[in-house]
Amino acid sequence: MLQTKTEAGVILYRNLLRPLCIEVMIVQRVVLNSRPGKNGNPVAENFRVEEINLSDSINEGQVQVRTLYLSVDPYMVDPQLVDGHLSYFLGAIGMPGLTSLIGIQEKGHITAGSNQTMVVSGAAGACGSLAGQIGHLMGCSRVVGICGTQEKCLFLTSELGFDAAVNYKKGNVAEQLRELCPAGVDVYFDNVGGDISDTVISQMNRNSHIILCGQISQYNKDVPYPPPLPPAVEAIQKERNITRERFLVLNYKDKFESGILQLSQWFKEGKLKIRETVTNGLENMGAAFQSMMTGGNIGKQIVCISEETSV
């Protein structure tokens, strides 16, 4: 996660280092300052901005890139992922965590058929908003989203084409789902975990399928990953033969190219709509992360770090 300190791009110390024929540029980067702990909630202070010196020389086979945007994602400081789970996403304290701008490959594994009902939790986030749209494109006759505000519910139904949306902070979720999914749930794209997921699973049909994309409600609790289901819900899962598959993007590297081509085509045809929540300034990376973890974003949360593209 690098940003040049000045918009000109580099600060060169030519005079001081001329005898050594070395040119150095100062860049800024965001690193992990701390982790929230096994039962802690992430805060902005888990990140810090620091300056480092980099050689300005470019060797054969290397490129110099000026970063414009950074992606903000839950796995960046998740303590469960540090304890041996998906640890390839993270650096050590004082080192940059992995971040990216585009993660569209995560939307290529939904299997659906006609007359199927799909429920998406965390539906107003980047993954959920795309998953619901793709569910329709791949044959689901009904797609219902679950999110935390009326604004997000309206976004799902009026802009993204969801058939209905449930605000889990208002009313009884189980009752709303029974009304909106009278034939039960066939596909569940799970971004949330916890009580919401338990409620959805309890209304799933025989031989239905759970795509376990994320468990954001459980990330800051001292539990295994993926979190075990409560005994009563686990019994429902087994009795109804509900499959529950962890969705790890790197398991589908062979589908990256075809997935990108398909998503690009849908986007060009206006069949996929994208929404982003943009925060300006590298120094606000921690605040953007904290907001994303508490549902402050609609669509993809990104940080713009170039004055040329700031909004």
Side-chain angles (χ1 to χ4, degrees), residues 6-25:
T6 69
E7 195 56 36
V10 293
I11 300 176
L12 299 179
Y13 286 89
R14 290 188 175 91
N15 293 333
L16 293 176
L17 300 172
R18 191 177 298 278
L20 298 176
C21 298
I22 297 175
E23 293 184 346
V24 175
M25 61 178 177

Side-chain angles (χ1 to χ4, degrees), residues 1-3 28-33 46-50 70 76 94-97 281-286 305:
M1 309 177 193
L2 300 178
Q3 179 192 31
Q28 293 180 310
R29 66 179 185 178
V30 171
V31 301
L32 292 178
N33 186 50
N46 290 137
F47 297 91
R48 74 170 186 270
V49 178
E50 66 178 22
L70 293 175
M76 293 172 66
M95 295 294 291
L282 184 67
E283 70 280 3
N284 293 316
M285 184 77 173
I305 62 173

Side-chain angles (χ1 to χ4, degrees), residues 5 17 22 41 49 60 68-69 126 203 214 218-219 239 242 249 262 266 269 277 300 303 306:
K5 187 175 181 182
L17 300 172
I22 297 175
N41 293 317
V49 178
E60 184 177 354
L68 301 179
Y69 298 95
Q203 298 189 31
Q218 306 298 300
Y219 282 165
E239 177 187 347
I242 302 171
V249 64
Q262 178 64 84
W266 280 334
E269 294 172 352
T277 297
K300 182 66 179 172
V303 175
S306 170

